[in-house]
């Protein structure tokens, strides 16, 4: 009854037969038949197909828990075999949001694959919540992120610091009130915002402007609201709530509002005079970027070597 668990699990991850079929490179009727066969072997349905999207039945929830345990055992044994082979085979699965998948991981993965050409690297790009689910379930070895994760479940390897900056369209009149704090893109790329002599901007100068804050629950959103409330003593007027930092940044470039962006992203942006940048007060503007991995999980040689490299 667990022979088709990988098919079932893919449907569970996507909560869609059509999306799961595309991911598995098989037709939807073939996938439906494979899942139906597993359900017939069990004698009960795994998915409730009367809802949209579909959802797990009570028995389906237990099936998924058991499948995750089985796949975890399989992965640990395969990793053990790969280590015996001395990095002559194996895989590393690393997850990151659009920010890290686009700007941080590519040079690291390039160096790693150059050194360990026989190791297959799987890069997964998704939201932090989706990636944490995959890390917990054992489908990711590592997750890079700037949010803090539960230390009782995950261990971490420090990668770098990230500094949040206020990003303001240059045509906003409020810039005139704080021009002594203004920074250019060249200043940020040169690290001038890290100089203790550069003053943080008084946020209350922008209290009447429109803001582009990431969706609720995102660490950048949480910090942005704390900075506005605590340092600026105002509630930001939110015009849009994008999913990603890069989306908020580009919207700001077109004059739609003020956003909070990390210097990791800003340093990778092309030269542009449509924005003004401002240093923000610590500690809320400073956070660590870490590689997270599940506590008590067997770390393969490939994963260990990647962590040594970074």
């Amino acid at each position: 009854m667990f022979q088709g668990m990988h098919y079932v699990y893919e449907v569970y991850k996507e909560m869609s037969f059509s999306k799961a079929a595309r991911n598995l490179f098989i037709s939807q009727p073939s996938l439906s038949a494979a899942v139906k066969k597993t359900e017939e072997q069990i004698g009960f349905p795994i998915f409730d197909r009367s809802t949209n999207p579909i959802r797990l039945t009570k028995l389906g929830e237990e099936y998924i828990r058991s499948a995750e345990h089985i796949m975890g055992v399989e992965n640990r044994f395969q990793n053990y075999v790969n280590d015996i082979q001395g990095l002559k085979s194996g895989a590393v699965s690393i997850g990151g949001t659009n920010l890290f998948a686009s700007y941080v991981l590519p040079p690291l993965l390039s160096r790693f694959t150059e050194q360990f050409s026989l190791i297959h690297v799987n890069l997964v790009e998704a939201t932090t919540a989706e990636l944490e689910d995959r890390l917990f379930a054992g489908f990711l070895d590592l997750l890079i992120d700037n949010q803090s994760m539960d230390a009782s479940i995950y261990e971490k390897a420090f990668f770098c610091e990230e500094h949040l900056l206020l990003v303001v369209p240059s045509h906003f009149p409020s810039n005139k009130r704080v021009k002594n704090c203004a920074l250019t893109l060249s200043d940020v790329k040169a690290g001038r915002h890290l100089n203790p002599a550069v003053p943080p901007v008084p946020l209350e100068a922008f209290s009447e402007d429109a803001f582009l804050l990431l969706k609720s629950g995102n660490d950048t959103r949480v910090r942005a609201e704390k900075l506005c409330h605590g340092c600026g003593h105002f509630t930001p007027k939110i015009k849009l709530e994008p999913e990603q930092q890069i989306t908020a940044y580009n919207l700001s470039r077109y004059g739609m509002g003020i956003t909070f962006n990390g210097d990791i992203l800003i340093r990778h942006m092309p030269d542009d005079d449509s924005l003004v940048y401002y240093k923000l007060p610590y500690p809320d503007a400073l956070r660590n970027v870490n590689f997270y991995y599940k506590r008590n999980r067997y770390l393969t040689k490939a994963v260990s070597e990647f962590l040594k490299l970074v």
Side-chain angles (χ1 to χ4, degrees), residues 57-199:
T57 62
K58 284 293 183 184
L59 181 136
E61 292 174 2
E62 184 59 35
Y63 182 94
I64 291 299
R65 282 192 289 269
S66 299
E68 287 177 342
H69 177 72
I70 293 169
M71 288 185 283
V73 172
E74 288 180 341
N75 289 338
R76 282 193 293 274
F77 181 72
Q78 184 59 57
N79 290 335
Y80 176 76
V81 172
N82 292 338
D83 283 352
I84 290 176
Q85 293 173 337
L87 294 177
K88 293 180 181 178
S89 65
V92 177
S93 186
I94 303 172
T97 60
N98 176 270
L99 168 65
F100 297 109
S102 299
Y103 302 110
V104 176
L105 288 173
L108 299 175
L109 296 179
S110 177
R111 287 164 53 198
F112 181 76
T113 54
E114 183 178 344
Q115 188 173 351
F116 302 103
S117 59
L118 298 178
I119 301 299
H120 173 72
V121 176
N122 180 34
L123 175 59
V124 179
E125 181 182 341
T127 66
T128 297
E130 291 168 336
L131 292 168
E132 186 176 353
D133 286 343
R134 296 188 183 192
L135 184 65
F136 183 82
F139 291 100
L140 285 178
D141 297 303
L142 296 169
L143 164 58
I144 182 172
D145 208 83
N146 50 24
Q147 295 190 185
S148 296
M149 294 176 63
D150 191 337
S152 67
I153 301 174
Y154 304 104
E155 296 194 54
K156 63 186 178 183
F158 173 76
F159 179 64
C160 71
E161 289 183 342
E162 183 184 34
H163 302 256
L164 281 181
L165 296 172
L166 193 72
V167 181
V168 184
S170 57
H171 69 272
F172 275 28
S174 45
N175 287 305
K176 296 177 182 178
R177 296 195 290 269
V178 290
K179 58 184 179 180
N180 62 309
C181 299
L183 297 167
T184 65
L185 182 58
S186 297
D187 289 332
V188 176
K189 289 183 177 182
R192 186 164 175 254
H193 61 295
L194 305 177
N195 187 337
V198 174

Side-chain angles (χ1 to χ4, degrees), residues 40-56:
E40 289 172 352
Q41 289 175 338
I42 298 171
F44 294 93
I46 294 173
F47 296 102
D48 180 354
R49 296 166 174 80
S50 66
T51 62
N52 187 17
I54 61 172
R55 62 185 182 186
L56 291 170

